[in-house]
Amino acid sequence: MKIEVELDPARAELLVKVLSPGETAELAALLARLEEPERLLGFRDGKAVPLEAAEVLRFYGEDKEVRAQTAEGVYTVRLRLYELEERLDRRTFLRVSHSEIVNWKRVTALDLSLTGTIRVALEGGVTTYVSRRYVKKIKEVLGI
């Protein structure tokens, strides 16, 4: 995929134009992502709450549900982790285990001294671990 950006100060609003040689899976995925709302819905105490993805510390599986943890609390999300992984910005959110996705912009420290895993400290004193299966991938992303 090639991306070109053209700045036009005379334009009143943003225009996105996609040129494609045909209908491809890549085109369908791109269009779906552009059309998706930027917010997620979290559910807590019988109420639906719009969540900004950037405010979420982590998404994780618990009791056969997916939770979103923010500074304000924990919400249930009605998407599967693999759906969230496809939908979220891959430069910000990274899968650290089979059951967890972490917001790397909310990471405060990484403890690499543990054998076979990495301890991840998030804002608000939240701690999680990278599973052994994902350690190599995380180290590659971090350039370690």
Side-chain angles (χ1 to χ4, degrees):
M1 177 180 358
K2 186 176 177 184
I3 298 175
E4 293 181 18
V5 176
E6 196 175 301
L7 302 177
D8 182 3
R11 182 164 291 282
E13 63 182 52
L14 179 67
L15 169 69
V16 177
K17 183 177 180 179
V18 179
L19 303 173
S20 176
E23 293 202 26
T24 64
E26 186 179 31
L27 174 63
L30 177 63
L31 293 176
R33 182 149 183 175
L34 288 171
E35 293 170 355
E36 286 180 281
E38 294 181 17
R39 290 183 163 185
L40 302 167
L41 275 182
F43 298 87
R44 184 170 71 176
D45 301 328
K47 294 181 182 177
V49 179
L51 300 174
E52 294 288 341
E55 300 300 318
V56 175
L57 300 172
R58 66 187 184 126
F59 294 96
Y60 61 97
E62 180 181 72
D63 298 330
K64 297 184 180 181
E65 293 183 323
V66 175
R67 311 272 191 218
Q69 184 171 5
T70 67
E72 288 77 39
V74 177
Y75 300 86
T76 300
V77 178
R78 293 186 179 160
L79 294 168
R80 298 283 173 227
L81 284 172
Y82 75 88
E83 294 171 321
L84 285 166
E85 192 174 25
E86 291 172 0
R87 185 174 177 169
L88 296 168
D89 183 356
R90 293 169 195 246
R91 294 167 293 177
T92 304
F93 290 90
L94 193 59
R95 190 101 178 219
V96 295
S97 72
H98 177 71
S99 61
E100 190 163 5
I101 299 171
V102 171
N103 183 342
W104 284 100
K105 291 188 177 180
R106 301 290 182 184
V107 171
T108 58
L110 297 171
D111 183 356
L112 304 170
S113 67
L114 303 170
T115 304
T117 190
I118 300 171
R119 183 181 8 227
V120 180
L122 299 162
E123 293 174 359
V126 177
T127 302
T128 189
Y129 295 87
V130 176
S131 74
R132 289 185 174 157
R133 181 178 172 188
Y134 288 86
V135 167
K136 182 179 177 185
K137 178 184 172 186
I138 300 302
K139 285 185 175 182
E140 287 173 2
V141 168
L142 297 174
I144 299 173

